[in-house]
Amino acid sequence: MTAGVQKQTTHERRKGESALSEFADYVEKQQKNRPAAGRAGPVAPSDSGYSTQSTQYEEHAELDILDSLNLAETSSRVRLKDLLLDSGGDAEVTLQQLSEVLQKRMLEGNGETLFDLGQEDNGESMSFSKEQWDVALDRIRRAAKLLQAECRILITRNVGGPEEVETVNEKDKSAAGKIMMRQEPETPEDVIETRIAVVGNVDAGKSTMLGVLVKGGLDDGRGKARVNLFRHKHEVESGRTSSVGMEIMGFDTRGDIVASNIPGRKLSWEEIGKRSAKVISFTDLAGHERYLRTTVFGLLSSSPNYCLLMVAANNGLIGMSKEHLGIALALNVPVMVVITKIDICPPQILQQTITQLTRILKSPGARKIPIFIKNREDTIETATQFVSQRICPVFQVSNVTGESLDLVRTFLNILPHHGNYDAEAPFEFHVNDTFSVPFVGTVVSGVVKSGVIHAGDVVLIGPDSLGQFTTTHIRSIERKRIPVPVCSAGQSASFALKRVRRKEVRKGMVVLPKVDAPPKVYREFIAEVLILSHATTIKTKYQAMLHVGPISQTCAIIDIDRAFIRTGDRATVAFRFVQRPEYLAVGDRILFREGRTKGLGIVKAVGYDASKPLDPGTGKDANGGGA
C-alpha cells in the first residue's frame, strides 16, 4: 500500500494535516486521566459499547503564570521591593524571607529559576535607580548563597555592563534585568535533566551539530565533528546515523558549559555528570527513510521534553523533515528549529527555506508562531516564554564558522524544564534498551514514568511472549553512568537486574513494583484514532506497525465503529497485537504506520468484547480481522 501514497489528493492530505493539531491537544488532555501502574483503568466502558465521552477542561499552559502574579486585592504579603532594599535593623530577617521566596521558585523550577530584578510578581516596575539595583543585586546574591545557589546576570536595562540591552521604552529610565539562579545539587540524583530529541532529514547536519555542541570545537565542513558520535563502523563509512545515539551536555551552577580545561581532551559522562547542575540529554536520531522505524521508536521511548528539528539551509524542509515534524506535533512536544549550513547557502535560497518553514509552521496542522532569533536578548526572552507550546524558536547557525552557536548554547542553558511527572504514584519504568555488562549481568535502560525506585527493591519485569512477569531485584542504579541509590519519576536511568538473562528481556517491557496480584496484560484494546494520511480506505483486517511508548509491534484492526475510515477521520477502533500481549493503560498515546505515518490515537479501553461490536448496525463478525 505504500506505493499508493502518491494517489492521495491535495484536499485529502490537507484534511489530515488540519486535524492533527486539534487532535494532539485532545490527546494531551486525555492523557492526564491515565491511571498509574497498579491502578485499574476502565476495561470496556458502559452500555453503548465503548463510549469516548469524557469531561474536558480547557487548559492553557501559557496562562499558568497568572497563578504567581499575586492579583488578589487583599494581599497581606510583603512587597518584593521592600525585601530587596531593606537595610534597617530587620535586614537579616527580611533576607531570610527573601531566600524563602527564592526557594519556593526554585522548587517549582526543579532547582533553577529566572528572576526579574526590578519587577514585582504582578508585573509592576520597581522603578530602581542604579544604586538601588546594586543594593538589590547584592541582597539577591546573599539570599541565593543561603540556598547554595549561584546567580548569573543574563540581561540588564539602564544598568550598564556587558549584559546591557536597549530599553523598549526610551522614557523608562528604571534599572531592571533578568538573573538566572541555579542550586548546587546535593547528590547526583538531584541534577536537573532535560531530554531533547534531535530530528530532521538525512544530511541536515544533526550529528555534526551535536558533535560541535557537545565536544566543543568547530567542524571542518567534511564531517570531522560527527565521527565521535557514531556507534557503528558503517555509520562512519557512510556518514549517516542508523541507530539511536545518546549524548549529554552539562552546565554548572553559573550556567557555563562543563568542559575540560586541557585543550583536545574530552570529558567522560561520569565527569560531566559530577560537575554539572543541569544536564541536557540529546537523542541523536536517524534521518534516512530506511530507518524511520528506529527514529519513531527513539522519539517515543525516550519521552523527550523538547524536539530539535534540523533543517539544511540549502535543501529546506524536505523528505523526512516533514514526517518528523508531524510526529513531534502528534506527540505534543514543544519544537525548536535550527537552520544549518548557512555558510554555504546563497542568500536567496536561504530566504526560500525561511519562507517555506514559516508557511509550514503557521499551517493549520502545526499552528506554531515562528520566532527568528538574531541576538542574545531574543534568545533569553524566547526561552523564558517557551512554556507556551505555540512558540517555535528558529536559529540560523553554521557549524563551520560557529555563527549563532553561542545563542543555541545560551538557549539550552536557560531552557525551562518541561513535563509533569508523579513521584507519589506507584512505580512504573519503561525499558527502551537492554545490555549485558561483564561482571554486572543484565542491564536495562529507560525512563521512569512515575514513582520512585531504590537499589535493592524487588520488582517485576515483563511481559514475556506468554504475558508473564519475572520477579527480580534491582542490583544497582546508574544515571548518566553515575551510581545512584534512588531514581524518581521523569528521570532516565539504567538498572542492573539479578538472576535475569539478557535474552529474557527486550525493548518495550515494563518494570513494576512487586505486588500480590500480577499485573494485567492485554492482546486487544480499543483506541480513538485520527487518520493522518492514507491513499485509500482502512477497513478491518488492516495491519500496521503500532508504537506505544517503547512498544513496537504489528497490530491488526479487528473492529471499527463504521464501515471504513479515510484520511482526516476520527474513529473508535479495536486493535489486536499480532505477536504477544503488552502492558497498556487507558490514556496511553499510540502512533501507527505502514511505511510512513498513518495515524495517531489514544487508548480508551483495554480488552475487547466481541459480543459488543463497536458498530452494532453492521451486523458483521467483529472477529473477522483476527491475526
Side-chain angles (χ1 to χ4, degrees):
M1 282 197 191
T2 48
V5 171
Q6 288 86 1
K7 296 178 188 174
Q8 194 180 10
T9 66
T10 308
H11 170 72
E12 285 179 326
R13 189 176 70 250
R14 283 180 182 161
K15 185 182 173 187
E17 287 172 357
S18 62
L20 169 60
S21 181
E22 184 186 331
F23 190 76
D25 289 343
Y26 166 74
V27 169
E28 186 76 13
K29 289 167 191 167
Q30 290 292 309
Q31 270 208 305
K32 289 172 182 167
N33 302 328
R34 182 187 188 274
R39 297 179 193 165
V43 182
S46 79
D47 335 4
S48 59
Y50 308 91
S51 165
T52 58
Q53 297 301 315
S54 61
T55 309
Q56 292 182 36
Y57 300 96
E58 287 294 324
E59 293 193 16
H60 299 275
E62 57 269 38
L63 300 181
D64 288 349
I65 195 171
L66 293 178
D67 296 337
S68 62
L69 290 184
N70 186 22
L71 299 177
E73 293 179 11
T74 57
S75 174
S76 59
R77 276 200 260 174
V78 182
R79 291 187 67 190
L80 208 49
K81 184 176 180 179
D82 299 334
L83 296 178
L84 289 167
L85 298 179
D86 192 354
S87 57
D90 293 334
E92 289 305 313
V93 177
T94 53
L95 187 69
Q96 190 63 43
Q97 288 178 304
L98 182 60
S99 73
E100 287 169 9
V101 171
L102 298 182
Q103 176 70 28
K104 186 180 175 186
R105 290 193 181 188
M106 280 195 253
L107 280 173
E108 291 171 356
N110 290 73
E112 62 181 6
T113 186
L114 271 172
F115 193 90
D116 279 304
L117 189 57
Q119 208 174 64
E120 287 284 356
D121 280 350
N122 58 8
E124 284 180 22
S125 172
M126 293 183 183
S127 304
F128 279 158
S129 63
K130 173 69 172 69
E131 293 73 27
Q132 287 175 318
W133 159 272
D134 292 336
V135 172
L137 182 60
D138 179 59
R139 294 266 294 173
I140 279 281
R141 284 182 168 148
R142 286 171 59 198
K145 203 168 185 179
L146 294 175
L147 303 170
Q148 282 79 51
E150 292 269 4
C151 294
R152 178 166 186 161
I153 300 171
L154 297 176
I155 53 173
T156 58
R157 290 185 173 87
N158 300 317
V159 174
E163 293 86 12
E164 183 73 12
V165 296
E166 290 181 13
T167 53
V168 182
N169 183 0
E170 291 182 7
K171 294 179 182 177
D172 184 9
K173 299 297 180 185
S174 61
K178 285 184 185 290
I179 297 171
M180 179 85 197
M181 276 179 271
R182 186 174 290 151
Q183 276 182 309
E184 182 76 42
E186 293 179 14
T187 56
E189 58 262 32
D190 293 331
V191 173
I192 305 162
E193 181 190 6
T194 300
R195 290 183 295 277
I196 299 178
V198 183
V199 295
N201 196 47
V202 65
D203 302 332
K206 298 182 293 299
S207 299
T208 300
M209 175 87 178
L210 286 190
V212 170
L213 282 177
V214 174
K215 308 292 183 189
L218 296 171
D219 189 44
D220 63 352
R222 293 188 297 277
K224 172 187 167 189
R226 71 188 179 204
V227 172
N228 293 322
L229 271 69
F230 290 145
R231 300 173 70 186
H232 304 289
K233 183 171 178 279
H234 70 265
E235 291 181 335
V236 177
E237 290 168 354
S238 69
R240 287 177 178 167
T241 306
S242 65
S243 58
V244 179
M246 294 291 293
E247 286 299 327
I248 65 170
M249 179 180 183
F251 294 96
D252 60 17
T253 49
R254 290 271 307 147
D256 296 319
I257 293 174
V258 174
S260 173
N261 300 324
I262 304 162
R265 180 177 178 270
K266 300 180 185 71
L267 294 181
S268 67
W269 279 32
E270 294 95 319
E271 290 173 304
I272 293 173
K274 285 174 181 172
R275 288 167 51 180
S276 300
K278 178 177 185 172
V279 169
I280 306 283
S281 301
F282 293 104
T283 307
D284 186 19
L285 299 168
H288 200 282
E289 187 170 1
R290 184 189 305 167
Y291 309 118
L292 179 61
R293 179 184 172 178
T294 304
T295 301
V296 174
F297 169 79
L299 259 173
L300 272 77
S301 63
S302 62
S303 298
N305 305 114
Y306 297 96
C307 188
L308 186 59
L309 177 68
M310 298 281 189
V311 178
N314 52 351
N315 288 335
L317 208 60
I318 58 167
M320 298 311 292
S321 295
K322 292 180 184 177
E323 189 76 11
H324 295 165
L325 176 61
I327 295 167
L329 294 171
L331 298 176
N332 235 23
V333 178
V335 178
M336 40 193 161
V337 179
V338 173
I339 299 174
T340 58
K341 305 184 184 182
I342 60 169
D343 55 306
I344 59 168
C345 183
Q348 71 273 17
I349 303 296
L350 176 61
Q351 192 53 50
Q352 283 177 20
T353 299
I354 290 170
T355 306
Q356 178 207 25
L357 182 65
T358 305
R359 191 183 71 248
I360 289 173
L361 289 174
K362 286 183 174 179
S363 68
R367 289 194 297 176
K368 298 281 183 187
I369 304 164
I371 296 179
F372 291 87
I373 292 175
K374 300 284 199 313
N375 53 46
R376 183 180 170 83
E377 185 183 359
D378 290 347
T379 307
I380 292 157
E381 293 293 345
T382 308
T384 54
Q385 293 167 8
F386 206 30
V387 287
S388 168
Q389 293 186 22
R390 291 284 167 245
I391 289 176
C392 181
V394 182
F395 297 88
Q396 298 172 52
V397 307
S398 167
N399 294 316
V400 175
T401 64
E403 186 179 341
S404 296
L405 282 174
D406 56 332
L407 299 182
V408 177
R409 291 189 179 104
T410 303
F411 187 86
L412 293 172
N413 175 37
I414 58 182
L415 198 60
H417 187 74
H418 170 81
N420 298 312
Y421 303 99
D422 188 0
E424 303 299 318
F427 174 70
E428 184 179 344
F429 175 86
H430 290 194
V431 177
N432 61 26
D433 215 344
T434 64
F435 312 92
S436 184
V437 180
F439 310 110
V440 175
T442 302
V443 173
V444 295
S445 71
V447 178
V448 182
K449 298 296 284 184
S450 61
V452 178
I453 191 74
H454 298 79
D457 283 358
V458 181
V459 293
L460 298 171
I461 183 166
D464 57 18
S465 57
L466 300 174
Q468 304 296 314
F469 281 78
T470 306
T471 304
T472 181
H473 288 73
I474 303 285
R475 190 196 298 268
S476 60
I477 304 173
E478 283 193 2
R479 284 191 66 211
K480 304 287 171 277
R481 302 178 191 169
I482 300 171
V484 294
V486 63
C487 188
S488 59
Q491 298 177 343
S492 52
S494 300
F495 300 156
L497 304 176
K498 286 185 182 178
R499 295 188 297 278
V500 175
R501 292 184 181 179
R502 163 87 187 275
K503 65 181 181 181
E504 294 171 4
V505 294
R506 60 173 172 82
K507 298 173 184 179
M509 281 187 166
V510 291
V511 179
L512 302 171
K514 180 84 167 69
V515 288
D516 296 334
K520 288 188 177 181
V521 294
Y522 300 91
R523 187 178 280 272
E524 297 164 343
F525 66 94
I526 295 153
E528 185 175 351
V529 300
L530 168 70
I531 308 302
L532 296 178
S533 65
H534 190 65
T536 57
T537 58
I538 292 177
K539 301 179 182 180
T540 54
K541 302 186 184 181
Y542 172 82
Q543 290 193 359
M545 177 60 68
L546 191 101
H547 299 269
V548 191
I551 298 168
S552 297
Q553 194 185 143
T554 306
C555 252
I557 291 179
I558 55 174
D559 198 5
I560 310 177
D561 65 355
R562 63 196 75 168
F564 55 81
I565 44 179
R566 293 177 178 274
T567 298
D569 286 352
R570 279 174 70 164
T572 305
V573 177
F575 289 94
R576 177 185 290 150
F577 287 116
V578 170
Q579 291 167 286
R580 59 184 167 263
E582 299 283 6
Y583 180 82
L584 287 173
V586 173
D588 279 342
R589 186 188 271 121
I590 68 169
L591 194 142
F592 61 95
R593 59 178 187 82
E594 176 211 20
R596 294 201 174 187
T597 309
K598 296 297 179 188
L600 69 141
I602 185 164
V603 178
K604 301 298 285 187
V606 284
Y608 170 70
D609 185 354
S611 65
K612 293 181 181 174
L614 298 177
D615 185 10
T618 58
K620 65 179 183 299
D621 178 15
N623 276 324

